[in-house]
Amino acid sequence: MTQTEALRSLLEAVASGKLSPDNAFDSLKDLAYEKVGEFAKIDHHRQLRTGFPEVIWGLGKTPEQIAQIMQVMRDRHSVVMATRIEPGVYKALQSQVRGLRYYDLARICAIAPPDIEPQFSGEIAILSAGTADLPVAEEAAVTAELSGFRVQRLWDVGVAGIHRLLNNRHVIDSASVLIVVAGMEGALPSVVAGLADCPVIAVPTSIGYGASFGGLAPLLTMLNSCAPGVGVVNIDNGFGAAVLAGQILRTAEKLRLASPTS
């Protein structure tokens, strides 16, 4: 059965009373995708299922492929985002995609409204250990902001000068979720988790000397944290950390709305 036939059958079942609107809604969550050439299938209903739309992974795709995918997605989504976009790729995309914005440090390009108001309560605070970790930290920050979350940035507060962190204790205290980005030995998330009363998402980066093994050393440090309440994402995965933080806040909002006292 084709997608069109499946949709028609579903609508006919609702019209005839054989299927409730709620059950039809659940079925639609897994129905829609759209082919782009012979190289991509856009999952238009991902946001309906998960709360976040599909995001384009830029590395390994040609500018032409990225442009075609973005053009298809812009008709269905208010925000279209592509990650790991190098400056040369962005220059090639500019002439093909109107209204494209580029966040150079985060290596993200997006079609998005100029101002996105936060859609959820709570705040995601993002801490970076060092300046060299900023591309990953900014990837997390921009992803969260484009997804409708309020973000607080705190950069260059690594453990080599821990007074810089302690002088900004208010950022930790006010956060609903913390994303902590660090390379080298990756100790910062453990320190932060020992001070925080909210979830801490640790992001190891590939920054460091030879024995950091491209981020493996901070990854293992974070996985072995003695401070409870630390979750760890993959090396350099600022995007994944932001989505996880967003899911935590969305779940908290869902629980609040479902509470009889809300």
Side-chain angles (χ1 to χ4, degrees), residues 132-149:
D133 300 311
L134 284 185
V136 176
E138 270 295 323
E139 181 181 71
V142 172
T143 298
E145 288 173 334
L146 290 174
S147 299
F149 296 96

Side-chain angles (χ1 to χ4, degrees), residues 58-244:
L59 288 179
K61 293 183 178 70
T62 67
E64 291 72 25
Q65 290 172 334
I66 296 169
Q68 287 184 60
I69 294 170
M70 296 190 94
Q71 298 288 17
V72 169
M73 292 182 70
R74 77 184 308 159
D75 294 332
R76 301 277 197 99
H77 305 283
S78 59
V79 175
V80 179
M81 188 173 90
T83 64
R84 302 303 165 98
I85 301 296
E86 299 297 339
V89 174
Y90 169 65
K91 287 181 180 179
L93 289 171
Q94 276 184 298
S95 61
Q96 301 180 61
V97 182
R98 60 180 171 80
L100 195 62
R101 297 163 59 188
Y102 188 52
Y103 304 84
D104 55 346
L105 190 55
R107 293 180 296 168
I108 286 173
C109 65
I111 304 168
D115 296 304
I116 299 177
E117 291 295 323
Q119 303 169 29
F120 303 92
S121 58
E123 181 178 270
I124 300 171
I126 304 175
L127 283 58
S128 79
T131 305
D133 300 311
L134 284 185
V136 176
E138 270 295 323
E139 181 181 71
V142 172
T143 298
E145 288 173 334
L146 290 174
S147 299
F149 296 96
R150 185 176 291 103
V151 170
Q152 170 83 326
R153 293 165 170 84
L154 181 59
W155 298 159
D156 197 24
V157 289
V159 297
I162 201 166
H163 56 291
R164 299 171 299 177
L165 175 67
L166 299 178
N167 286 344
N168 290 277
R169 178 69 185 270
H170 62 281
V171 175
I172 297 173
D173 293 340
S174 65
S176 306
V177 183
L178 285 152
I179 296 174
V180 185
V181 183
M184 297 292 185
E185 84 290 3
L188 184 60
S190 291
V191 174
V192 171
L195 301 171
D197 64 353
C198 65
V200 174
I201 302 169
V203 188
T205 73
S206 52
I207 299 301
Y209 294 104
S212 75
F213 298 107
L216 183 59
L219 171 64
L220 293 175
T221 296
M222 294 171 187
L223 288 171
N224 285 286
S225 173
C226 64
V230 178
V232 187
V233 299
N234 208 343
I235 298 166
D236 292 338
N237 191 7
F239 168 78
V243 172
L244 178 55

Side-chain angles (χ1 to χ4, degrees), residues 15-39:
S16 66
K18 295 179 180 178
L19 189 68
S20 72
D22 286 342
N23 287 336
F25 180 81
D26 287 337
S27 298
L28 283 170
K29 289 182 180 180
D30 299 307
L31 185 63
Y33 68 87
E34 183 175 353
K35 289 183 66 176
V36 180
E38 296 299 322
F39 57 84

